[in-house]
Amino acid sequence: MSKKPKRHFFPFWILLLGMAVSVLYLGGQLIYGEIQSRKVHQEIVELGELSYDEAFLEEISKAEGFLSVSPVYEIPVKLRWKDYTMDATFTAVDMKEFQMTGNAPEEISLGNTPVLFIGKDALNGLADSYGHTISQNGLKKLKASSEELEYCLQEESAAGVGAGAQASTAQGSRGNDSEIWLWRPCIAVGDLISPSDGIYIPITQTSALTEGLPPVKKVLLTTQGVRSIL
């Protein structure tokens, strides 16, 4: 009596396994694509030669993935805390549109004193007159006593400040006796994880820091499913 040959099912199982892997891969790609299409992106974008006007707003609103756009103003300043100073920029943004993560109050009382939302790495450049940068322990103390933080406009001089302005004068930092800075108080109300490297203020405070609104050179652009449409 002859023996029946053994049937090998390995090729069949390998085929099924390959089909299962392919299905899982395609399913994962579809899920990833769906997530990406819903993901919201936000960035501050240079306008370049574009003008922030009605024509620009009408055109950009038609772009695929567009959610919102608002002007951004940048104000060069010098910051001071105790013996530490640094050059910095106040970035004025629409807080209703601005996406941030970290410790920040939902409501703030706005006056002429700038309220700062500071990225966790934004003050690492603070240095004393010998060029020694601030320590992490110093940064913790700063955040605990933010009322002692002061600013001065980079373009400001003693002659450019009205007699009614409340400001304290001090010799320029780093031992430069020829410079006179006019210091005013500012207060840190937000400690941001993201964005981590900027200092932001509400856009409504821009006019209190500048004489008239400067030209719009950057915008805060929010999109969905695409990173940029400019």
Side-chain angles (χ1 to χ4, degrees):
M1 187 173 182
S2 61
K3 294 182 179 180
K4 294 183 178 180
K6 293 182 178 180
R7 297 182 179 179
H8 298 283
F9 294 96
F10 293 108
F12 177 71
W13 288 111
I14 291 174
L15 177 62
L16 285 180
L17 182 60
M19 291 176 63
V21 170
S22 298
V23 170
L24 289 174
Y25 175 78
L26 291 174
Q29 289 294 100
L30 289 173
I31 293 173
Y32 176 79
E34 181 66 19
I35 293 174
Q36 289 299 108
S37 67
R38 296 181 180 182
K39 192 172 182 179
V40 174
H41 301 277
Q42 187 176 81
E43 59 183 336
I44 293 177
V45 185
E46 292 266 8
L47 281 180
E49 296 182 358
L50 296 174
S51 298
Y52 189 83
D53 53 22
E54 290 297 329
F56 167 79
L57 294 175
E58 182 177 356
E59 187 65 26
I60 198 171
S61 65
K62 300 175 183 176
E64 182 179 355
F66 170 82
L67 290 181
S68 68
V69 66
S70 57
V72 171
Y73 300 106
E74 292 185 333
I75 304 168
V77 298
K78 184 180 286 290
L79 289 178
R80 180 174 74 170
W81 182 73
K82 296 186 181 296
D83 295 329
Y84 296 91
T85 61
M86 67 175 284
D87 292 333
T89 299
F90 287 168
T91 302
V93 296
D94 186 343
M95 286 296 169
K96 295 180 180 179
E97 301 290 342
F98 189 51
Q99 297 179 2
M100 55 186 174
T101 56
N103 298 320
E106 293 184 1
E107 295 184 4
I108 52 176
S109 178
L110 296 179
N112 290 333
T113 301
V115 292
L116 313 182
F117 296 79
I118 302 176
K120 62 183 182 67
D121 299 324
L123 298 180
N124 291 345
L126 282 168
D128 62 19
S129 58
Y130 299 100
H132 301 146
T133 55
I134 192 169
S135 64
Q136 289 300 312
N137 187 46
L139 285 173
K140 289 180 181 179
K141 291 180 179 179
L142 186 161
K143 293 174 182 179
S145 59
S146 61
E147 293 84 358
E148 299 177 13
L149 192 62
E150 297 176 299
Y151 79 98
C152 180
L153 298 176
Q154 290 279 13
E155 297 181 352
E156 194 171 65
S157 64
V161 177
Q166 295 182 353
S168 63
T169 61
Q171 288 184 338
S173 64
R174 315 268 174 104
N176 189 345
D177 294 339
S178 66
E179 293 180 313
I180 299 296
W181 303 104
L182 297 158
W183 300 102
R184 295 183 177 87
C186 55
I187 182 169
V189 297
D191 184 14
L192 306 183
I193 298 173
S194 176
S196 63
D197 57 353
I199 302 175
Y200 303 90
I201 65 171
I203 196 169
T204 50
Q205 290 194 312
T206 307
S207 58
L209 300 176
T210 61
E211 294 184 4
L213 292 178
V216 180
K217 297 181 179 180
K218 295 183 179 181
V219 294
L220 181 67
L221 179 61
T222 309
T223 58
Q224 185 173 33
V226 294
R227 285 199 170 275
S228 181
I229 52 179
L230 281 179

